[in-house]
Amino acid sequence: MTPRRQSSRAPVTSPAVATVFTTVLTQGPVSRVDVARRTGLSSAAVTKAARPLIEAGYLIERDSEQSGIGRPVSPLEVRADREFFLGVKVTDRELIGVVTDLRARMLVTKFRPLPSRKPDAVVDGIAEMVTALLAESKAYKQRTHCLGVTVAGDVDRDTGHVRYSPFLHWRDVALGGLLAEKIDLEITVDNDVKAITVAERWFGDGVGANSFALVTLGTGIGCGLVVNGGVVAGSHGVAGEIGHIPVFGDGPVCHCGATGCVEAIASTDAIVAQARTATGEAGLTMAEIVTGARLGDTALRKVFARAGVAIGRGLASVANLVGPERIIVSGEGLDAYDLFADEIRETFATQAFGAAAQCELILRPLPFEEWARGAAAIAVQTLFLS
Amino acid sequence: MTPRRQSSRAPVTSPAVATVFTTVLTQGPVSRVDVARRTGLSSAAVTKAARPLIEAGYLIERDSEQSGIGRPVSPLEVRADREFFLGVKVTDRELIGVVTDLRARMLVTKFRPLPSRKPDAVVDGIAEMVTALLAESKAYKQRTHCLGVTVAGDVDRDTGHVRYSPFLHWRDVALGGLLAEKIDLEITVDNDVKAITVAERWFGDGVGANSFALVTLGTGIGCGLVVNGGVVAGSHGVAGEIGHIPVFGDGPVCHCGATGCVEAIASTDAIVAQARTATGEAGLTMAEIVTGARLGDTALRKVFARAGVAIGRGLASVANLVGPERIIVSGEGLDAYDLFADEIRETFATQAFGAAAQCELILRPLPFEEWARGAAAIAVQTLFLS
């Protein structure tokens, strides 16, 4: 979050104000009494904390409702269009950009192909994406202060450095700094899966959950974790790397240099590589591999079965180590889920330790624009972390 | 924590009181101003929260100190002997019991052999241990209200049920309920490694750390995790089971039923079993195996090397998934640490993803009585969780 411009921001001046704001943002409309009950703050503290937020236009009071015989209550609600947020997800082939409101509702979505993965080209592409998104409405131009950008890999959110991103072939790219030279917004750069987990926690099925894991299958295999009510960021910036849990001792060498990683066996690229080796057909595409496996090709089915075992072992590691309430399995890899669902579930059941097997596995499709929404969600987060 | 007796307890009547109490307990002596600064509470709220704790004798004000030219400050401090706590750790062979004060300082330590692992015998043994510990001082009898009991395995702290403890050969033993029939104290039953992690977090090197992992090597291989400032309990009661991360695809079947678990390769029992197989000597003891390996026996060295790789892969999984600031490696397995230290460090370095490799590995001896101190620490915790 280093590079930032000064902006007129929500007056989050104390922990109490941040608590009241996030409670109304994620759970509103909600009465002051309920905010007090849910946060442990006194009613007087809630009223005091809400006042500057109302004055700055971030919170509004709904019309009074007569509740039974007591005093009329005026629930607090977020004014969602008080500020807008941009989110851009960088994939190896394209940029996905969104404008959202304060509640991370997507108002505009844009896709732009990426002519090159070189940092300069990506930075230029993001700057053009930002211009195009803001051009959609005068209101966006006036009331947008923050941009979130996400990439897969090891990202240092504090400095905006991308330390390692396998799919972009990047090592130590100062993305935040490069973007700040071209874009006059407060910029946050983070890992893509962590960002989607923030969105899920604040505006999705994670609201109110004390712990959950969101696992994404696809080109990469990632995992966002919420534990003790907060997203796990990792002390050194790395966390949730389920793709790099070593589950096979004799497994293939992973692009990260380690051996037997889940990602080296079960990512889309790994499945394609193994399928090509197994069949001797060097030109096979993922679509052909999926079709062939569905038609019953034994060699191809074996590749998916092995991937399912690796994923199941990875999920069991998450359950045994962190013990989340539920694991949400998502990502574009779900398209082929029928081909390894049995192996994933059976392996998970065998490898989960004791009561960890009670951890619920939930499947959830993840449209591509949701990745950009995650990027916008970390931009919303800066309201509270600044 | 189900079975409990009514007791005169510290008046922890609000979250603010609990926050002030834990801050003084773990970081005191500390002035009200510093408590306010560290907790985000107002000075008025700190003063209000401290008052009932002072009146009940749990906190005391130190003599005023003149600090520079300002008003004299009276730092708050815990009155450590206001209440005493008992902790009992159950191993497969003996009971270890301690009396501690409020700051978990050990005042008495006792060891009792366990004639049988049957639940009734263990319950009787614990009851006798409690009687013997309390008999040490009239003050203990008068001012002890809480007992913590810990065992290895899958324990449901909420109900006091031991769901699975491999070394005791227990499944679904209602230990808390059985103890409550014989012992007139508030009883908390929990996993032994989680309990030691509580002690470490409140009274050890974990004070102030946002995240760390404590890994114990020995008969079992366990891990306590602190993430986002709290011990990870696991939604279903299971967490930190590093011993049951599947790190070898073709590995041996573990006592838990899964395949390739760290514990199936690197626990003391597993090392003994593999050494016996490798040498063909069925009567080998761990001491003989360690001596033989130190003298250079190739087969025995290979067994330790393989164990080191398994442990290194487990530690890397913790670093990649949770990203703790540091991992403290401890337990009686440290006695043979020289025999697999190189493999642990090399494997960790290879398998840690990106910046996760910066996670510090620290070795720490763990005397047996520390296990019982952990049990006492969870008894202290009940002051705040009741």
Side-chain angles (χ1 to χ4, degrees):
Chain A
M1 275 190 308
T2 13
R4 64 177 55 174
R5 69 170 188 177
Q6 290 299 96
S7 58
S8 67
R9 301 301 299 278
V12 178
T13 49
S14 76
V17 174
T19 302
V20 169
F21 198 176
T22 47
T23 304
V24 178
L25 178 65
T26 60
Q27 299 168 40
V30 55
S31 71
R32 288 176 176 81
V33 173
D34 280 341
V35 174
R37 197 172 43 76
R38 291 179 202 177
T39 59
L41 292 168
S42 70
S43 288
V46 172
T47 298
K48 188 181 159 201
R51 198 173 301 129
L53 295 167
I54 294 170
E55 282 165 8
Y58 283 88
L59 297 189
I60 48 177
E61 290 182 279
R62 278 198 161 184
D63 288 345
S64 289
E65 291 167 9
Q66 190 68 37
S67 79
I69 52 167
R71 284 197 305 166
V73 293
S74 304
L76 293 171
E77 191 172 24
V78 155
R79 206 185 117 201
D81 63 354
R82 172 61 181 81
E83 187 170 333
F84 299 102
F85 299 84
L86 304 188
V88 177
K89 149 88 173 175
V90 184
T91 78
D92 55 343
R93 253 165 279 173
E94 66 179 352
L95 300 175
I96 313 165
V98 292
V99 182
T100 77
D101 66 13
L102 193 47
R103 293 178 55 80
R105 272 185 297 234
M106 290 185 278
L107 305 169
V108 178
T109 308
K110 285 184 185 289
F111 295 80
R112 287 178 85 91
L114 211 48
S116 147
R117 291 174 194 162
K118 286 196 181 143
D120 284 351
V122 171
V123 168
D124 287 344
I126 293 173
E128 286 160 23
M129 172 67 90
V130 165
T131 305
L133 288 169
L134 292 179
E136 290 282 324
S137 155
K138 211 169 153 186
Y140 301 163
K141 250 195 208 104
Q142 288 168 342
R143 299 207 293 274
T144 300
H145 306 290
C146 301
L147 162 68
V149 176
T150 62
V151 302
D154 175 3
V155 181
D156 184 346
R157 176 171 172 152
D158 290 335
T159 62
H161 266 61
V162 178
R163 285 182 292 221
Y164 173 47
S165 186
F167 311 113
L168 295 169
H169 305 291
W170 285 7
R171 281 199 185 268
D172 293 315
V173 173
L175 183 60
L178 295 172
L179 289 169
E181 290 172 16
K182 307 226 168 186
I183 299 167
D184 188 26
L185 293 171
E186 181 172 335
I187 297 164
T188 308
V189 181
D190 207 343
N191 170 278
D192 54 353
V193 180
K194 271 186 206 155
I196 262 191
T197 307
V198 169
E200 189 70 20
R201 179 181 164 228
W202 274 11
F203 308 109
D205 282 356
V207 173
N210 187 53
S211 70
F212 69 89
L214 174 72
V215 174
T216 59
L217 306 177
T219 314
I221 296 182
C223 174
L225 287 171
V226 169
V227 177
N228 288 333
V231 174
V232 179
S235 299
H236 306 283
V238 171
E241 291 292 350
I242 187 178
H244 299 282
I245 293 181
V247 291
F248 286 152
D250 56 349
V253 173
C254 183
H255 60 76
C256 75
T259 306
C261 296
V262 174
E263 199 164 289
I265 299 147
S267 72
T268 307
D269 289 356
I271 289 173
V272 169
Q274 291 169 95
R276 288 174 178 174
T277 305
T279 58
E281 293 179 49
L284 272 184
T285 65
M286 185 65 177
E288 291 163 347
I289 294 164
V290 169
T291 306
R294 287 207 177 115
L295 291 172
D297 183 299
T298 315
L300 295 178
R301 292 208 66 111
K302 265 192 196 160
V303 170
F304 281 103
R306 184 169 148 84
V309 170
I311 294 166
R313 290 168 78 92
L315 297 177
S317 300
V318 172
N320 293 350
L321 209 47
V322 180
E325 274 177 52
R326 50 177 62 179
I327 299 177
I328 303 161
V329 182
S330 195
E332 73 269 20
L334 276 199
D335 298 347
Y337 195 77
D338 56 303
L339 292 169
F340 43 42
D342 289 351
E343 285 79 7
I344 290 177
R345 291 196 179 274
E346 280 163 24
T347 306
F348 180 79
T350 308
Q351 300 288 151
F353 182 74
Q358 293 167 21
C359 172
E360 209 181 351
L361 297 186
I362 296 168
L363 302 188
R364 162 103 46 84
L366 186 68
F368 273 105
E369 58 268 31
E370 290 283 328
W371 287 102
R373 182 175 176 248
I378 58 165
V380 175
Q381 247 193 344
T382 61
L383 276 180
F384 306 96
L385 301 178
S386 296
Chain B
M1 274 190 311
T2 13
R4 64 177 57 173
R5 69 169 187 178
Q6 291 299 97
S7 58
S8 67
R9 302 300 300 278
V12 178
T13 50
S14 75
V17 174
T19 302
V20 170
F21 197 176
T22 45
T23 304
V24 178
L25 178 64
T26 60
Q27 299 168 41
V30 55
S31 71
R32 288 176 177 82
V33 173
D34 280 341
V35 174
R37 198 172 43 76
R38 291 179 201 176
T39 60
L41 292 168
S42 70
S43 287
V46 172
T47 298
K48 190 180 158 202
R51 198 172 301 128
L53 295 167
I54 294 170
E55 282 165 7
Y58 283 88
L59 298 190
I60 47 176
E61 290 183 280
R62 277 198 161 184
D63 289 344
S64 289
E65 294 168 7
Q66 190 70 35
S67 80
I69 52 167
R71 283 198 304 167
V73 293
S74 305
L76 293 172
E77 192 173 23
V78 156
R79 207 184 116 202
D81 64 353
R82 172 62 182 80
E83 188 170 333
F84 299 100
F85 299 84
L86 304 188
V88 177
K89 148 90 173 173
V90 184
T91 78
D92 56 345
R93 255 166 277 174
E94 65 179 352
L95 300 175
I96 313 165
V98 292
V99 182
T100 78
D101 66 13
L102 192 48
R103 293 178 55 81
R105 273 186 296 234
M106 289 185 280
L107 306 170
V108 179
T109 308
K110 285 185 186 286
F111 295 79
R112 287 177 86 89
L114 211 47
S116 147
R117 292 174 194 161
K118 287 198 179 139
D120 283 351
V122 172
V123 167
D124 286 344
I126 293 173
E128 285 160 25
M129 172 68 90
V130 165
T131 304
L133 289 170
L134 292 179
E136 291 282 324
S137 155
K138 210 169 155 188
Y140 301 162
K141 249 196 207 106
Q142 288 167 341
R143 299 207 294 275
T144 300
H145 307 289
C146 302
L147 163 67
V149 176
T150 63
V151 301
D154 175 4
V155 181
D156 185 347
R157 177 170 172 153
D158 290 336
T159 62
H161 265 62
V162 178
R163 286 183 291 221
Y164 173 48
S165 185
F167 311 112
L168 294 169
H169 306 292
W170 284 7
R171 282 199 185 267
D172 292 315
V173 173
L175 182 60
L178 294 171
L179 289 169
E181 288 171 16
K182 308 225 165 185
I183 300 167
D184 187 27
L185 293 170
E186 180 171 337
I187 297 163
T188 307
V189 182
D190 208 343
N191 169 278
D192 54 353
V193 181
K194 273 187 205 152
I196 262 192
T197 308
V198 169
E200 189 70 20
R201 179 180 165 229
W202 275 11
F203 308 108
D205 282 355
V207 172
N210 188 54
S211 69
F212 69 90
L214 174 72
V215 174
T216 58
L217 307 178
T219 314
I221 295 182
C223 173
L225 287 171
V226 168
V227 177
N228 289 333
V231 174
V232 179
S235 299
H236 306 284
V238 172
E241 290 292 350
I242 188 179
H244 300 282
I245 293 182
V247 291
F248 287 153
D250 57 350
V253 173
C254 183
H255 60 78
C256 75
T259 306
C261 296
V262 175
E263 199 164 289
I265 299 147
S267 72
T268 307
D269 289 355
I271 289 173
V272 170
Q274 291 168 94
R276 288 175 179 174
T277 305
T279 58
E281 293 178 50
L284 273 184
T285 66
M286 186 63 177
E288 291 164 346
I289 294 164
V290 169
T291 306
R294 286 206 178 114
L295 291 172
D297 183 298
T298 316
L300 294 178
R301 291 208 67 110
K302 264 194 195 158
V303 169
F304 281 103
R306 184 168 148 85
V309 171
I311 293 166
R313 290 167 79 91
L315 297 177
S317 300
V318 172
N320 293 351
L321 210 47
V322 179
E325 276 176 51
R326 51 176 62 179
I327 299 178
I328 303 160
V329 182
S330 195
E332 73 270 19
L334 276 199
D335 298 347
Y337 195 77
D338 56 302
L339 292 169
F340 43 42
D342 289 351
E343 286 79 8
I344 290 178
R345 291 197 179 271
E346 278 162 25
T347 307
F348 180 79
T350 309
Q351 300 289 151
F353 182 74
Q358 294 168 20
C359 172
E360 209 183 350
L361 298 186
I362 296 169
L363 302 188
R364 161 102 46 85
L366 187 68
F368 273 105
E369 57 268 31
E370 289 284 327
W371 288 102
R373 181 175 176 247
I378 60 167
V380 176
Q381 249 193 342
T382 60
L383 277 179
F384 307 95
L385 302 177
S386 296

